Amino acid sequence: MSQASSDASSGSASPLLRRVSIKHRLLAAFLITSLLPVLFVAIYSNMRYEASITHKISASSQQILAELTQNMTRELEQYETLSETIIINKSIQEGLPQFAAMSDYEKNRLRTEINEELAQQIFRLSNLSNVVILTNDGQTIFDLGFEWYPDLQLDKLTEGVNASPGNAFWSYIRSNRGANRIILSRAVFAESNLNQRLGYVMILIDEKVFSRNTFGQVDLGQGSRIYIANAEGRVVSSVSPDIPHGTAYHKSQVFDRAIGESRNEAFYATVDGRKTLAISSYIRSADWYLIGLVPHSFLVSELQEMRGNIVFICLATLLLSGALAMWIYFSIHSPMRELLQYANQIRMGQLETKIGKSYPDEMGKLTETIDRTVEQLKQLIFQVESEQQAKRDAELKMLQAQINPHFLFNTLNSLKWSAMMSGNEAVKQGIESLSELLRNTILVKEELVPLEVEIANLLHYATIQRIRYGDSFKLSFVMNDELYACLVPKFILQPIIENSILHAGSEDGRRVGIRVEGFREGADLRIVIADDGKGFDMNDVHARKSMSHAKLSGIGIGNVDERIRIHFGAAYGLVTRSAPNEGTETVITLPILTKEDENDV
């Protein structure tokens, strides 16, 4: 009854128009109303156009800066390669430790040898202005150029090299003649003893030529500017005279935001009293930031010309089109609303509902097509579910058929007894643990196992890993006895422990402590796996990716989290926290579930 009344109400609103195709209705509406509600279009288009053009220009500018960053990285790599050649030069390696004891003649001869050996490589780079080699106490053993640099600046450079983790410190310096230079400073270490610093090498680059070759010809738009700032926000290179070198140009408005809350994103800032779109790109090799500034006036220059015409068209057509547009609108709105409600019901899984009577226009034909599609969809869902279930069963049987369990376990038992007879206790324990681990993998079909079994599997796994890694890790447990009966998904602890064993170790060979702690919190079971290893930066994409693969089981941490959520819902899963030199902690949250609870379910 209600469905029939709905059909009657939708048809009575505009029965005449419902017998005309939607194409003809829309064509008539366009011709009569002249683009319909122009007022709305004017306001909306003004906002959307500005947002759209800003987005497009910011995306384009970011792409340009990314490409410039790659070009600069390649440019800087040339000088780093040259510096490495200088560092390992035999004359420099032998001359630096003995320079203080040399006579003036020996010093001049050393400088001549260095010049002859390195001149060809140095002068191959056209924008190179100077190469300076210093001893640890600041004596110059080689100086290719003729400019002078204040000792205070050189002291800051050597301090920067000593504080740099990668022995490559890029900075800006000004000569006594007022020339701007980009400088690469590196420490020279003895080849025979990398802990012995012999001195420093400094490569100075003509900033004017560098900027012209890398970004000086790039135009982000009328009035736009590009400059390079170091990690402190000071300008290293710029072709714009209003961005002075060596200064913290609008540091709080632009630089602090570019490396902070708006990192890798375009944002608006007030620069020199004007609203400006700022874009940045990080140059990792030099710890620099390439920053582009595009005036807002350039972004909306075309929009200003359009606004006057839009206002005039709006006033002339709004009154004429209003009444006619509403009549045509309701002829489309009612069936469209019904179709939308029908689509929402389908989206919520109510596939048994039908929209009912339809009219001979395109909307009615669309409704009939959707009805037929829903019927086919129900059939396909049933078919896919059946096929997927059959596929999973077939794959499981295929995997189980690949190995004869009895043959495998008999063979492992034979190997274990052989190792025991030969007195090799480590191999015997490893084979025994591998046998039990494979037994629980192949023969145990249940997805949920008691926590006691999961911990036993973990101990077997640790025994196997000690054969390869020895005493490099220590595994400990803190667990209440009542928790051992709780059911947990199989193999959820091993991938996490494996990551701690493989990735938590430090370079100094320190033993990694791994602690597994379980406790009850309300109706939930929490299992904490923590190590005191080297940790990692949670923002580091490569570090997170390294945790997504496991080496032994083929079960990654992401797979563990996904399986927990599939079994128990989105409220459960695992969370990992880590920081460099502070270890890694993973917390698994599960519902308290025992064998009796599972049987009740």
Side-chain angles (χ1 to χ4, degrees), residues 426 458-476 501 511:
L458 185 57
L459 290 173
H460 291 315
Y461 169 74
T463 300
I464 296 170
Q465 288 294 60
R466 284 195 175 93
I467 295 176
R468 178 179 179 183
Y469 295 100
D471 200 30
S472 64
F473 66 94
K474 177 183 179 182
L475 184 61
S476 61
I501 294 174
R511 189 182 190 190

Side-chain angles (χ1 to χ4, degrees), residues 84-222:
E84 292 171 357
T85 303
I86 295 174
I87 288 174
I88 64 175
N89 180 266
K90 183 177 180 181
S91 298
I92 295 175
Q93 286 283 322
E94 295 176 352
L96 273 173
Q98 305 172 7
F99 187 77
M102 288 183 179
S103 64
D104 291 341
Y105 171 77
E106 291 173 331
K107 291 179 180 180
N108 290 331
R109 187 177 63 180
L110 174 62
R111 293 186 179 106
T112 302
E113 291 176 355
I114 296 174
N115 186 64
E116 291 175 351
E117 293 171 358
L118 299 178
Q120 183 177 0
Q121 295 176 342
I122 292 175
F123 289 111
R124 181 171 55 85
L125 302 175
S126 59
N127 54 347
L128 194 65
S129 64
N130 200 354
V131 174
V132 179
I133 301 175
L134 304 174
T135 62
N136 286 327
D137 56 2
Q139 295 185 61
T140 302
I141 76 166
F142 181 77
D143 189 345
L144 184 66
F146 301 97
E147 293 180 314
W148 174 75
Y149 304 95
D151 292 338
L152 181 59
Q153 295 188 59
L154 297 179
D155 291 342
K156 290 182 178 179
L157 293 177
T158 56
E159 292 175 2
V161 174
N162 296 334
S164 174
N167 189 27
F169 180 64
W170 287 93
S171 185
Y172 161 83
I173 194 171
R174 184 186 294 270
S175 70
N176 61 320
R177 299 179 181 178
N180 298 313
R181 298 287 184 257
I182 294 173
I183 182 167
L184 168 62
S185 305
R186 300 190 66 174
V188 179
F189 292 97
E191 284 189 298
S192 59
N193 183 5
L194 295 180
N195 293 321
Q196 179 185 0
R197 186 178 67 240
L198 304 179
Y200 300 92
V201 57
M202 299 181 181
I203 299 177
L204 291 97
I205 306 160
D206 190 332
E207 182 276 333
K208 188 174 182 179
V209 179
F210 175 82
S211 61
R212 184 180 66 228
N213 292 343
T214 54
F215 66 91
Q217 306 301 321
V218 177
D219 185 10
L220 299 181
Q222 185 177 359

Side-chain angles (χ1 to χ4, degrees), residues 23-41:
K23 178 181 69 175
H24 293 140
R25 272 182 270 168
L26 293 178
L27 180 60
F30 178 79
L31 295 175
I32 295 173
T33 61
S34 298
L35 301 179
L36 289 174
V38 181
L39 179 61
F40 172 78
V41 172

